[in-house]
Amino acid sequence: MLMWLSWMIKEEAYFESTAGVSASFGEMLLLVAMYFHSNQLSAIIDLVCSTLGMKIVIKPSSLSRMKTIFTQEIFTEQVVTAHAVRVPVTSNLSANITGFLPIHCIYQLLRSRAFTKHKVSIKDWIYTQICETTTPLHQQLIPLIDVYINSIITPASKSSPEATNKPITEQEILKVFQGHAGENFRQNQCSKITTQLLLLYYLLSYEEALLANSKTLAAMQRKPKSYSSLLMDQIPIKFLIRQAQGLQQELGGLHSALLRLLATNYPHLCIVDDWICEEEITGTDALLRRMLMTHSAKSHSPKQLQDAFLQLQSNHTQVMQILEHLTLLCASDLIPYAEVLTANMSQLLNVSVARRLLQTVNKLWMTLNTVMPRRLWVMTVNALQPSLKLARSHKYTQNDLMIDPLIVLRCDARVLRCPPLMDITLHMLNGYLLASKAYLNSYLKETADQDIKSSPSNAMAMQGQTETMEVTREELKNALLSAQDSAAVQILLEVCLPSEDKSPEQLEIEDSLLCNLREVQCLICCLLHQMFIADPNIAKLVHFQGYPCQLLPLTVAGIPSMHICLDFIPELIAQPELEKQVT
């Protein structure tokens, strides 16, 4: 039997070529050996029955001799791990390929931590297999990634904390995303998008697992490498999620898993308004418009758009014509125009610019926001800076804006009286306020080791001290977020006040219902309504801080959620300072 099994393993390539199937006979023997190693005898019985296609009664007790042969003479654990790494990955792995494959063996070995125990690197094999996938998605891929992430972060045992697998490198991940997904999505569509979605799932799951285990890792004095924000900025997350939405049947549970991770780690990419906007952009009307699109609409290049913007002061028609044609393009086809569009936004602030032009730019911006929101926001914030800052060429980064979302409101003062651009600004502000909350939450977890770095002389005292520090840091974080939100609300309320430096004629225009100020006030009231519903404490804090009395008629009529103030009006009136009672 030993000779026969050894011969089977040696001649597996011949058997596979003769049978003409994708399943691997050698891998099945390997899988049986792994089940024996982990003492999963019922799994072996199920494997035999399903492979033969008949129900056979096998007593687990009768497998003891075979277990010895497999685990001690043919497939020792070291042989199993060394052999598994050399097994070629399955080309174009998909759910259409049935039977037992190398991926099943690798999954079981990762679960039993055999690779880390025998110091065998499995990273390259997993990366290669992820790159060799296509739709419909094989059901073993997501569990494989999950167990691989666990083997990177959690050591096999406390006695050897260094016994972990290596993570996929940033260079390897970027290699898959070279050439923006939006530009070459149609080339090699299925395999390319499947690999990108799996790597996105790996990245988001890895970062989530890292934060979830931060305290345990800090106690063990281990700090696995976190992926840089620069890497995440180069991945078109929103575009990939949209593609996954259209491929839900082929991707199994991957789309819902990605949405869960996105809601946790990137709440600013899950704004309800954006989802509604996407429905409009990808709906029937948009499809009909694209069907009627002429050849000239497709022929405009980003350079032509830039040239048209250079002549904007003397000729609005050319820019308007190109922008109208661009509205017929789908969101991913608009990506090459994003930089030109945002870079020239400051030109739109001149008084002579037609309202229709501003509304078209707003429409194109909202369309681009469905595929590349994070990069678009950074470019827009930098483009709308006051002229003095633009002259100094100071560029904000994604990180700067997440740390201080109020940078969005330090824009050119003319934006505050330009409703289409103010709409964009408020959209970005709302997004960055959400992003800031997620950033600070993850920062607290990442720096959990600071709570543990205290004197180890008294374990009980240290534990109590750590808990106190943790509560203090949490309170400070909440206070910072409340201050940030209330500051944003106060600035927006100030924007609602009529300008002081205007002439009587201009002030008379601003008092009418058909003016830019009135439209800006409506946009601001909509955002404040959403903020008050999301966190009623913000409404209470802002009213205790006070704001100009002349805004009360506006806030009461324009913010439907203002009725929650009835709950704390007695507290407001009970304040000792008369000035605060009035404001």
Side-chain angles (χ1 to χ4, degrees), residues 36-274:
F36 273 128
H37 275 288
S38 54
N39 206 32
Q40 297 181 56
L41 302 181
S42 58
I44 295 171
I45 295 166
D46 292 341
L47 173 61
V48 170
C49 292
S50 63
T51 306
L52 294 175
M54 58 179 78
K55 188 73 179 171
I56 303 169
V57 180
I58 305 171
K59 292 180 181 177
S61 56
S62 64
L63 298 173
S64 55
R65 177 72 185 121
M66 202 177 289
K67 180 182 177 180
T68 308
I69 291 169
F70 266 86
T71 57
Q72 294 178 20
E73 298 186 47
I74 300 174
F75 285 107
T76 61
E77 198 173 58
Q78 197 161 0
V79 169
V80 169
T81 52
H83 180 76
V85 177
R86 292 196 301 271
V87 171
V89 299
T90 309
S91 295
N92 293 319
L93 176 66
S94 73
N96 295 331
I97 301 175
T98 55
F100 291 89
L101 304 165
I103 193 170
H104 294 98
C105 302
I106 300 296
Y107 172 74
Q108 286 299 330
L109 285 169
L110 276 169
R111 276 190 68 187
S112 62
R113 305 305 291 267
F115 294 112
T116 46
K117 199 185 296 179
H118 297 287
K119 296 180 180 176
V120 176
S121 176
I122 193 61
K123 183 257 294 181
D124 293 336
W125 192 96
I126 290 173
Y127 174 73
T128 310
Q129 184 61 84
I130 288 173
C131 292
E132 280 289 336
T133 55
T134 187
T135 51
L137 193 73
H138 195 279
Q139 63 273 16
Q140 199 64 44
L141 280 162
I142 295 175
L144 177 79
I145 291 170
D146 289 337
V147 78
Y148 172 55
I149 290 168
N150 185 52
S151 73
I152 295 168
I153 293 170
T154 315
S157 63
K158 288 183 180 179
S159 57
S160 54
E162 71 287 341
T164 54
N165 282 311
K166 291 178 182 175
I168 298 170
T169 65
E170 291 192 5
Q171 289 74 24
E172 287 170 330
I173 292 168
L174 280 174
K175 194 177 176 183
V176 172
F177 290 98
Q178 271 176 358
H180 199 286
E183 291 159 29
N184 55 13
F185 173 62
R186 290 172 186 81
Q187 300 169 7
N188 204 6
Q189 181 178 356
C190 292
S191 57
K192 182 88 172 172
I193 201 71
T194 311
T195 301
Q196 289 178 343
L197 286 167
L198 285 170
L199 281 175
L200 176 62
Y201 175 78
Y202 161 78
L203 278 170
L204 296 177
S205 296
Y206 178 85
E207 291 299 323
E208 187 179 62
L210 208 57
L211 292 176
N213 292 284
S214 54
K215 284 186 186 175
T216 312
L217 293 168
M220 295 169 69
Q221 296 185 336
R222 277 196 76 245
K223 197 167 177 71
K225 184 181 179 295
S226 179
Y227 289 103
S228 67
S229 56
L230 193 65
L231 170 71
M232 299 308 294
D233 289 347
Q234 292 181 69
I235 295 172
I237 297 175
K238 198 70 184 284
F239 173 81
L240 292 171
I241 296 291
R242 275 191 67 187
Q243 299 306 328
Q245 189 177 356
L247 297 166
Q248 283 186 65
Q249 295 296 321
E250 292 90 344
L251 294 173
L254 183 58
H255 177 250
S256 54
L258 283 170
L259 281 182
R260 181 190 64 79
L261 290 164
L262 203 66
T264 309
N265 301 298
Y266 291 89
H268 49 295
L269 299 184
C270 300
I271 299 170
V272 176
D273 288 355
D274 287 354

Side-chain angles (χ1 to χ4, degrees), residues 381-578:
V381 169
N382 284 316
L384 293 177
Q385 290 301 301
S387 51
L388 285 172
K389 283 190 180 179
L390 281 172
R392 290 203 301 267
S393 300
H394 179 75
K395 297 286 184 187
Y396 291 111
T397 64
Q398 187 84 321
N399 214 43
D400 294 334
L401 292 159
M402 284 197 294
I403 292 169
D404 183 8
L406 299 181
I407 290 171
V408 176
L409 294 173
R410 293 177 203 144
C411 56
D412 191 310
R414 292 173 296 174
V415 173
L416 308 178
R417 289 292 180 268
C418 178
L421 295 187
M422 190 61 184
D423 184 26
I424 289 170
T425 304
L426 293 174
H427 198 95
M428 293 188 297
L429 176 67
N430 187 31
Y432 277 123
L433 286 171
L434 291 170
S436 188
K437 288 180 177 68
Y439 172 81
L440 288 175
N441 283 330
S442 64
Y443 179 77
L444 275 195
K445 289 178 181 176
E446 279 172 19
T447 54
D449 57 329
Q450 292 180 11
D451 295 341
I452 293 166
K453 286 177 184 173
S454 53
S455 173
S457 54
N458 186 334
M460 289 295 287
M462 187 183 81
Q463 188 180 349
Q465 190 180 352
T466 302
E467 285 173 8
T468 308
M469 284 174 69
E470 201 174 312
V471 170
T472 307
R473 293 177 74 211
E474 186 70 26
E475 286 172 351
L476 287 169
K477 181 208 75 176
N478 291 336
L480 174 60
L481 289 173
S482 295
Q484 204 166 255
D485 286 348
S486 65
V489 173
Q490 293 286 8
I491 293 167
L492 292 175
L493 286 170
E494 275 186 36
V495 172
C496 291
L497 289 167
S499 307
E500 293 177 0
D501 57 344
K502 294 286 177 77
S503 64
E505 293 81 11
Q506 288 173 319
L507 286 172
E508 194 176 330
I509 293 168
E510 284 196 344
D511 284 338
S512 72
L513 294 176
L514 295 171
C515 66
N516 286 339
L517 175 62
R518 187 68 177 178
E519 196 174 341
V520 166
Q521 287 173 343
C522 291
L523 291 170
I524 288 172
C525 285
C526 283
L527 178 61
L528 296 186
H529 173 56
Q530 289 175 25
M531 289 178 74
F532 290 172
I533 286 174
D535 185 3
N537 289 323
I538 296 299
K540 187 173 182 180
L541 177 59
V542 167
H543 283 86
F544 270 88
Q545 289 171 342
Y547 56 85
C549 291
Q550 62 262 45
L551 287 175
L552 277 172
L554 173 73
T555 54
V556 170
I559 305 172
S561 52
M562 276 288 282
H563 67 82
I564 60 174
C565 298
L566 292 169
D567 297 338
F568 54 80
I569 279 178
E571 288 180 66
L572 276 172
I573 296 171
Q575 290 183 107
E577 296 95 340
L578 186 63

